[in-house]
Each structure stands twice: as C-alpha cells, then as structure tokens.
C-alpha cells in the first residue's frame, strides 16, 4: 500500500546549520509529494510540493527534489533560523486513491 | 480568506458526554478529512468524504460518526466520550486527492480533553 517513512526526531540544530530531513515513500500510481510544517499550537501548512519526477519544490529557503529512482523527497535548508523550529511532515497523494498519506513528523528545534 | 474553519478551538468533556466538532470550508473543495493527532505523534485519519452524501472510514473510525450534507460542512460527532479520545482534531479539505498539484488545507484544530 501507499506509505511514507520519515526520519525520526527530534532534531536539534544550532542557528545557521544545514538541515536535512529524510523522507522515502511507497506508492502505487503516480504520487504527488508534499512537505507540511506545523508550528506550535497551529494546524499544518503546506511548505512545498512536487508533482512529478525530478521536480524541485522550494519555499522560504527550503527545498526538496522528487527522486523517483530512490523513491525519496528529502527536505533541505542551507541555514536554519530559530523561527524554523516546528514539526515537519512528509506526505503523498496518488492519482489512484482518495487519501493523503503522512509520515510521523520530525520535530526540529533550532537554538541560537 | 477563511479557508478551513474549525469550532470550537478548545473543549473539555466528561466521560460519556457527546459533542460535535464543526468544520466548514469556503473553497468549494470536494474532499474533506478528519484527523486526530495525539501528543508527539503523527496524524491518524478518522473519516473522509469525497463529496456531499458520501463518507468513508479511515484508520481509526471507532467512537466517531460523520455526515456530509453539504459541500461546505463536515461535522464530526463523538457519541460517548472516552479518555482515549483526548486529542487534537484537525479538519482538512482538498479539491481532489487524485489530481496532482492539489494539497490539503488544514484548519487550526480543536483541542479536546475528556476527563
């Protein structure tokens, strides 16, 4: 079945450090891939997306590339800030189903 | 620019009480979803709907009921509240899960405690 496996946290980084959060997927059909961010006490917000192989989604300095050969969609940012502290969810949808599939979330804390 | 609106934001229930969590969206989305998020955990799908009059169970439907009489509204009903239902509940909507480039939009959540 369709699923997303996400790097477990929590992750703690110093400000300006490089961030990678790993995400791999299993999907039937042709998935679209998403990263969502959840700030404390809030709902999930779409951070970026990619809808076909080799697409790169980007937003607010974050990037992720849809890699079909490795079934991956890793989230990266070159220099994190304290304001990036949040929980990050990888997710997918396919053209054959009615649901979205979420990873378990990775908590990121950035310290000054 | 309302998006997905959930009410109430917070609620405390006693064991055995019932309540309805409201969710409405103004984006004319066909698909709507209810998730629960337990502390430090990911999202678990409770119920979803692909259009008015159509609902289907997700991963954890027991203890909950839903209805979808209009495109805009998707209420979630707890009939006999139990401590295990203490959680944060999120409603989400999307144009379609099958169309690429169509993400989900989430409400701000309802924080429910059952004592």
């Amino acid at each position: 079945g369709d699923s997303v496996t996400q790097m477990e946290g929590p992750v703690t980084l110093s400000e300006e450090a490089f961030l990678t959060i790993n995400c791999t997927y299993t999907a039937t059909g042709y998935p679209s891939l998403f990263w969502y961010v959840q700030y404390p006490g809030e709902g999930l917000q779409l951070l970026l997306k990619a809808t076909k192989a080799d697409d790169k989604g980007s937003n607010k300095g974050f990037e992720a590339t849809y890699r079909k050969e490795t079934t991956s969609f890793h989230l990266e940012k070159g220099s994190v800030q304290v304001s990036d502290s949040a929980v990050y969810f990888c997710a997918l949808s396919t053209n054959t189903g009615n649901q979205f599939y979420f990873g378990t979330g990775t908590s990121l804390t950035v310290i000054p | 620019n309302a998006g997905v609106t959930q009410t109430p934001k917070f609620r405390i229930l006693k064991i055995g009480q019932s309540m309805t969590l409201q969710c409405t969206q103004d984006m004319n989305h066909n698909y709507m979803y209810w998730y629960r998020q337990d502390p430090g955990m990911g999202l678990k799908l409770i119920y979803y709907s692909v259009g008015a009059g159509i609902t289907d169970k997700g991963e954890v439907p027991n203890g909950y009921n839903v209805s979808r009489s209009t495109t805009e509204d998707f209420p979630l009903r707890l009939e006999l509240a139990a401590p295990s239902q203490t959680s944060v509940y999120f409603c989400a909507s999307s144009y379609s899960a099958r169309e690429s480039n169509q993400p989900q939009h989430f409400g701000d959540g309802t924080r429910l405690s059952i004592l």
Side-chain angles (χ1 to χ4, degrees):
Chain A
D2 299 330
S3 67
V4 173
T5 302
Q6 190 173 337
M7 171 179 149
E8 289 193 17
V11 174
T12 302
L13 294 174
S14 296
E15 207 165 20
E16 299 183 1
F18 185 85
L19 169 71
T20 299
I21 300 178
N22 291 337
C23 172
T24 58
Y25 66 89
T26 301
T28 56
Y30 298 93
S32 294
L33 301 171
F34 308 90
W35 276 102
Y36 287 84
V37 59
Q38 183 181 32
Y39 298 104
E42 298 183 8
L44 280 70
Q45 304 172 27
L46 179 67
L47 179 60
L48 54 83
K49 63 187 177 187
T51 58
K52 61 183 187 296
D54 299 325
D55 269 2
K56 177 185 284 188
S58 61
N59 186 24
K60 300 181 181 179
F62 291 89
E63 294 183 339
T65 301
Y66 187 141
R67 302 284 188 200
K68 188 176 179 181
E69 64 275 14
T70 54
T71 61
S72 65
F73 193 54
H74 305 320
L75 182 67
E76 297 182 335
K77 187 175 186 182
S79 176
V80 294
Q81 305 301 312
V82 172
S83 57
D84 294 327
S85 298
V87 180
Y88 293 82
F89 291 91
C90 186
L92 72 81
S93 66
T94 75
N95 63 338
T96 58
N98 295 320
Q99 298 183 27
F100 289 74
Y101 297 88
F102 287 84
T104 53
T106 301
S107 175
L108 170 67
T109 300
V110 180
I111 55 177
Chain B
N1 217 19
V4 179
T5 303
Q6 291 184 239
T7 56
K9 293 189 183 302
F10 304 93
R11 185 72 183 269
I12 298 174
L13 283 182
K14 294 182 179 179
I15 295 172
Q17 286 185 321
S18 61
M19 77 163 293
T20 299
L21 282 66
Q22 302 291 345
C23 175
T24 187
Q25 52 92 8
D26 62 358
M27 296 172 282
N28 202 32
H29 285 166
N30 293 319
Y31 288 59
M32 296 188 74
Y33 306 80
W34 274 106
Y35 296 91
R36 59 177 287 173
Q37 184 180 34
D38 298 327
M41 305 292 286
L43 300 173
K44 293 186 177 180
L45 181 65
I46 305 172
Y47 272 95
Y48 67 98
S49 168
V50 301
I54 306 169
T55 62
D56 209 345
K57 296 179 180 179
E59 181 185 358
V60 290
N62 291 343
Y64 307 94
N65 281 300
V66 293
S67 60
R68 183 93 182 273
S69 57
T70 67
T71 298
E72 294 79 17
D73 300 309
F74 190 42
L76 177 72
R77 178 93 178 151
L78 282 71
E79 290 294 349
L80 291 171
S84 61
Q85 294 177 305
T86 293
S87 189
V88 181
Y89 292 83
F90 288 101
C91 181
S93 73
S94 68
Y95 175 70
S96 168
R98 298 190 181 201
E99 296 287 331
S100 65
N101 207 35
Q102 296 295 331
Q104 286 185 314
H105 298 258
F106 283 81
D108 289 336
T110 294
R111 285 150 184 81
L112 180 62
S113 295
I114 299 166
L115 306 175

